Amino acid sequence: MDGFDIDGALLNAVEWARVVGQIHMGGFRKGNLGIDTKSSVYDVVTRVDKESEAYLLKSISATYPDHSILGEETGSHMKESDFCWVVDPLDGTNNYSQGLPVFCVSIGLEYKGEGVLGVVYAPYLNELYTAVKGQGAFYNGEPIHVSDKQDLAHSILASGFPYDKGTHPVNNVANTARILPNLRGFRRMGAAAYDLCGVAAGWLDGYWELCLQPWDACAGSVIVREAGGVVKPFRFDRGISIIAGNETIVNLISEYVE
Ligand code: IPD
Ligand code: CA
Ligand code: CA
C-alpha cells in the first residue's frame, strides 16, 4: 500500500457512512419504501438500499477514481487496481423495512484481496465501528476487544439463515438445533455486518453464518480481527461461510456447524 493514505481513507469512509446513515434515517418507519424482492420472497430491497448505494458509488469513484468497487445493489465496477471497496449500502434490510432498529451500512476496503479497512455504522443505534489493519478496532472512538468467554454455556451467539432456506437443504437449521441447547443464549440479529461488530465489541461471544456475500463480511471481518478475534471459514460451497469470536469459542462452534 506504498504511498496510500489509509488514515485518510478511514476518515472518508466514516464520512460516507454517516451520510448513508442519514439516508437510512430519512426513510425509517416512514412507509413508502418502494419494497421489492430479489432472489426470493424473503430477499427484500427498498429504494433506500438503492439510494444509499448510489451515494456510495458516486462518493467513492469521485475520491478514488482508479479503485474498483463491489456493491450489493449494482455489482462490480472493476478497474485495474489493487484496491477494491466492498460495500453493503443497507445491511439488515428485512429489519429496516419492518421498522426494527438493527440495520447498518458496511464499507470495507480490500488491498490485493485482503481486507484492510472496515467501517460499519448503525444509525438508529448511533453505533460506529471502525478498524484499519494493524491499528486495532474501535466503537464510537473507544478501543474494543472480543469477549474472553471460554465455553459455550456462558456464551451468547448469533447466526442467520440464507434466503433460500426453504428450498436448499444446507440452510443452517440443523446446525442451530445442534448447538442451541448448549448456549446461554442465541440471537438472530438480522444484519451480518452488525453481528460481526457485536463480536468485535464483546456484546456477542461468537457468530457463525453460511451463504454470506463479500459485502456482508468484508468490513466486519477486519473489525473482528483488529479486535483480537478470529474469523474462520468453515465450508466453501455456499458463498462465504464464517465463524467469528475468540479462538476458543470459534473452535467450540466449529464442533457443531457444517
Ligand atoms: C442479510 C443480512 C442477514 C443475513 C443475510 C444477509 P441484507 O443482508 O445480513 O442478517 O442473514 O445472509 O443477506 O440482505 O439485509 O443486506
Ligand atoms: Ca447484507
Ligand atoms: Ca444489503
Side-chain angles (χ1 to χ4, degrees):
M1 286 199 292
D2 284 350
F4 181 68
D5 178 9
I6 189 90
D7 297 325
L10 178 65
L11 290 176
N12 289 331
V14 167
E15 186 186 318
W16 301 331
R18 290 201 183 277
V19 174
V20 172
Q22 286 170 7
I23 298 173
H24 291 179
M25 293 310 294
F28 188 53
R29 294 178 178 164
K30 302 249 167 64
N32 185 28
L33 286 174
I35 295 172
D36 207 348
T37 56
K38 296 196 284 186
S39 63
S40 80
V41 68
Y42 317 113
D43 188 0
V44 164
V45 64
T46 74
R47 67 170 171 76
V48 173
D49 298 68
K50 294 172 191 164
E51 282 170 29
S52 300
E53 178 140 333
Y55 167 79
L56 287 171
L57 280 185
K58 187 177 63 133
S59 306
I60 296 169
S61 53
T63 313
Y64 301 106
D66 300 335
H67 290 188
S68 299
I69 305 171
L70 176 64
E72 176 171 14
E73 306 308 334
T74 60
S76 62
H77 307 264
M78 287 302 153
K79 300 274 171 65
E80 291 234 346
S81 172
D82 289 333
F83 291 95
C84 183
W85 294 87
V86 183
V87 302
D88 191 337
L90 174 44
D91 187 42
T93 297
N94 268 328
N95 281 348
Y96 181 82
S97 62
Q98 290 283 127
L100 290 166
V102 178
F103 57 87
C104 54
V105 51
S106 174
I107 302 173
L109 177 63
E110 289 181 352
Y111 175 70
K112 295 188 175 177
E114 185 198 1
V116 292
L117 176 156
V119 170
V120 173
Y121 180 51
Y124 186 87
L125 305 169
N126 192 25
E127 296 184 9
L128 175 72
Y129 299 88
T130 58
V132 166
K133 189 181 170 206
Q135 296 188 15
F138 298 85
Y139 158 69
N140 288 346
E142 297 295 323
I144 48 175
H145 202 273
V146 293
S147 92
D148 60 2
K149 300 281 178 65
Q150 295 297 309
D151 62 29
L152 294 181
H154 292 86
S155 291
I156 300 214
L157 304 188
S159 188
F161 303 89
Y163 288 128
D164 62 356
K165 58 190 177 296
T167 51
H168 199 292
V170 182
N171 61 8
N172 204 29
V173 172
N175 290 337
T176 306
R178 261 194 307 275
I179 197 169
L180 193 143
N182 304 286
L183 307 177
R184 174 175 282 174
F186 174 79
R187 299 290 180 268
R188 199 307 187 220
M189 309 293 284
Y194 187 84
D195 289 321
L196 286 163
C197 292
V199 170
W203 327 134
L204 291 167
D205 301 302
Y207 160 75
W208 83 93
E209 188 158 354
L210 45 83
C211 235
L212 295 174
Q213 301 291 334
W215 43 81
D216 297 314
C218 179
S221 297
V222 178
I223 295 168
V224 169
R225 291 198 179 99
E226 286 303 313
V230 171
V231 180
K232 182 184 158 191
F234 71 97
R235 65 182 300 152
F236 300 91
D237 60 340
R238 287 283 274 149
I240 295 169
S241 302
I242 49 173
I243 306 171
N246 70 41
E247 195 173 3
T248 305
I249 294 297
V250 166
N251 288 335
L252 288 169
I253 297 172
S254 302
E255 293 173 18
Y256 292 88
V257 305
E258 58 184 31

